[in-house]
């Protein structure tokens, strides 16, 4: 929404409105069961509200601005207050998973929120406001894939995993751009990843490893804890599948 670039009613993170209030638990800990009326929200309306909020929150993050429940209701959800917990919870979860940005409540009384990068990764610091979406979520995914493959992930496994998420080599993604350029040039130059030829491979094969900056800014334990937290929140934030739907999903997998 165009209003996403407007100034927030709250001050910027550099000047907290209520310094005596410590940051509470993540806002995404809200659950669907928080409000019964959300269960009767038409699926298309829920999808549209969630999509609009996912567009709005990154603008506040890149502008280093706080936001509030009142601002979200006015500018994004059109005063649909009864559906706020459901939409906000699911949008926050998607933002954390895709962009690597966590939404935290810094003032529980006024419901004021701040967006912070996950795991201390600073790969989005150089982004100019409004010019690009945060990409730390994808970086965390790549780092976890490397861990799961004995600390060195064959590039074919990485590209295969990304393609299942709709991020395909040779195609420009709306958030991540062209993935080969991002992974093998941008993040290699920034020190987050290493991209090298597998020793003695012929024809040449390549693999990804953690780069020195990734080791400096996070750890394997933090990445695993993040993935477990994401999985737990997903089970709370989204309605469980029916037995039949779960069986169909298992068969498809």
């Amino acid at each position: 929404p165009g209003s996403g670039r407007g100034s927030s009613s709250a001050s910027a993170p550099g000047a907290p409105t209520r310094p005596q209030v410590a940051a509470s638990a993540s806002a995404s800990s809200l659950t669907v069961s928080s409000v019964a009326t959300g269960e009767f929200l038409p699926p298309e309306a829920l999808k549209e509200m969630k999509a609009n909020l996912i567009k709005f929150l990154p603008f506040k993050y890149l502008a280093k601005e706080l936001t509030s429940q009142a601002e979200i209701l006015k500018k994004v959800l059109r005063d649909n207050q009864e559906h706020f917990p459901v939409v906000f919870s699911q949008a926050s979860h998607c933002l954390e998973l895709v962009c690597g940005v966590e939404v935290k409540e810094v003032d529980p009384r006024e419901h004021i929120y701040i967006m912070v990068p996950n795991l201390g990764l600073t790969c989005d610091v150089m982004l100019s406001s409004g010019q690009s979406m945060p990409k730390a979520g994808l970086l965390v995914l790549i780092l976890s894939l490397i861990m799961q493959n004995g600390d060195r992930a064959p590039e074919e496994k990485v590209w295969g995993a990304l393609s299942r998420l709709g991020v395909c080599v040779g195609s420009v993604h709306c958030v991540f751009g062209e993935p080969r350029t991002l992974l093998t040039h941008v993040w290699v130059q920034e020190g987050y990843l290493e991209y090298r030829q597998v020793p003695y491979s012929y024809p040449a094969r390549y693999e990804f490893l953690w780069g020195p900056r990734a080791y400096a800014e996070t750890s394997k334990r933090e990445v695993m804890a993040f993935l477990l937290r994401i999985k737990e929140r997903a089970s709370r934030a989204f309605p469980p599948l029916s037995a039949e739907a779960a069986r169909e999903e298992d068969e498809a997998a």
Side-chain angles (χ1 to χ4, degrees):
S3 56
R5 297 179 183 271
S7 60
S8 172
S9 57
S11 56
T17 12
R18 288 177 171 76
Q20 75 277 14
V21 180
S24 67
S26 168
S28 56
S29 60
L30 289 167
T31 64
V32 169
S33 59
S34 300
V35 55
T37 53
E39 298 175 1
F40 302 102
L41 188 67
E44 287 305 314
L46 173 62
K47 183 178 180 180
E48 182 179 358
M49 287 183 185
K50 185 172 69 175
N52 288 337
L53 186 53
I54 290 172
K55 294 175 185 177
F56 173 79
L57 291 175
F59 284 133
K60 307 299 288 188
Y61 170 73
L62 293 171
K64 296 180 172 60
E65 293 180 352
L66 302 177
T67 189
S68 65
Q69 179 175 335
E71 182 183 33
I72 292 171
L73 286 171
K74 179 180 180 180
K75 295 182 177 180
V76 183
L77 302 188
R78 311 289 184 180
D79 295 324
N80 283 289
Q81 186 166 2
E82 68 274 21
H83 302 309
F84 177 84
V86 176
V87 176
F88 185 72
S89 174
Q90 295 188 5
S92 298
H93 175 78
C94 290
L95 189 66
E96 184 172 17
L97 183 62
V98 175
C99 298
V101 175
E102 186 175 4
V103 185
K104 288 190 174 183
E105 189 174 54
V106 293
D107 187 337
R109 186 176 62 178
E110 298 294 332
H111 301 297
I112 295 174
Y113 306 98
I114 187 173
M115 278 68 71
V116 296
N118 272 310
L119 305 178
L121 293 170
T122 62
C123 60
D124 294 320
V125 168
M126 71 292 299
L127 295 176
S128 55
S129 179
Q131 296 302 308
S132 181
M133 293 280 282
K135 300 177 177 65
L138 183 67
L139 177 57
V140 172
L141 173 61
I142 303 303
L143 294 177
S144 68
L145 284 172
I146 294 171
M147 291 170 54
Q148 293 166 19
N149 284 274
D151 293 336
R152 55 189 68 221
E155 69 168 340
E156 58 269 20
K157 285 196 174 183
V158 172
W159 304 136
L162 294 186
S163 67
R164 291 192 290 273
L165 299 175
V167 182
C168 302
V169 173
S171 299
V172 177
H173 190 270
C174 60
V175 174
F176 306 120
E178 204 288 308
R180 181 179 292 278
T181 300
L182 178 63
L183 270 64
T184 64
H185 293 283
V186 177
W187 282 342
V188 168
Q189 291 176 359
E190 292 175 359
Y192 286 109
L193 297 175
E194 287 187 17
Y195 178 66
R196 69 185 189 187
Q197 183 177 344
V198 177
Y200 310 111
S201 62
Y202 183 83
R205 292 183 294 108
Y206 292 84
E207 60 188 5
F208 287 97
L209 294 83
W210 278 41
R213 189 171 174 182
Y215 281 110
E217 293 185 355
T218 188
S219 68
K220 295 177 181 180
R221 177 177 294 182
E222 288 178 316
V223 170
M224 289 305 299
F226 168 77
L227 295 175
L228 291 173
R229 189 167 70 249
I230 285 291
K231 184 177 181 180
E232 180 183 354
R233 287 177 185 168
S235 64
R236 293 201 310 261
F238 295 90
L241 293 171
S242 65
E244 182 179 354
R247 185 167 56 252
E248 290 178 355
E249 187 178 79
D250 289 341
E251 291 174 356

